[in-house]
Amino acid sequence: TKSLEKIQTAVASAMDACLKELGRSGAKLDIEFNLTVSNNLFRDFGRSVQRQLDKRWHVVSRKTKQLVRDLSTLRRLAQCCLRYDGPTF
């Protein structure tokens, strides 16, 4: 449906914004992430990023930690958009 399509577009846009911000944070920590929305959708990108940050988790900013959590939440929302029809979602 058109409304579900709008939701998917909004979720993808939010994911893209989070990924760009995470990329800037990663550059400060000398960590390179493979940052694309499709990577975040089809594999557990949040856990992958967190594994990379685990060694430095104690020095990672609150903002970066929140971005990792936000990406996981957005990923779940995107998967629900794909899995359910409009009224169920």
Side-chain angles (χ1 to χ4, degrees):
T1 65
K2 289 188 182 230
S3 59
L4 197 54
E5 198 173 300
K6 288 179 183 179
I7 292 170
Q8 288 174 333
T9 303
V11 169
S13 177
M15 289 172 93
D16 191 45
C18 284
L19 290 169
K20 285 179 183 173
E21 189 62 36
L22 187 62
R24 286 191 282 273
S25 298
K28 293 175 188 174
L29 296 168
D30 292 329
I31 296 174
E32 189 173 321
F33 304 113
N34 189 8
L35 303 174
T36 63
V37 172
S38 62
N39 281 348
N40 191 36
L41 279 176
F42 297 113
R43 58 188 180 104
D44 202 351
F45 186 79
R47 285 189 192 152
S48 172
V49 169
Q50 189 156 1
R51 275 193 299 268
Q52 288 181 326
L53 292 173
D54 272 347
K55 295 175 187 168
R56 301 179 194 169
W57 197 250
H58 62 286
V59 295
V60 172
S61 69
R62 284 185 185 171
K63 183 177 180 178
T64 302
K65 290 177 183 179
Q66 186 61 51
L67 284 168
V68 172
R69 287 189 291 269
D70 290 347
L71 281 171
S72 294
T73 301
L74 288 167
R75 180 175 180 262
R76 283 191 298 268
L77 275 174
Q79 287 176 332
C80 287
C81 283
L82 295 172
R83 189 174 299 143
Y84 302 118
D85 60 352
T88 305
F89 180 75

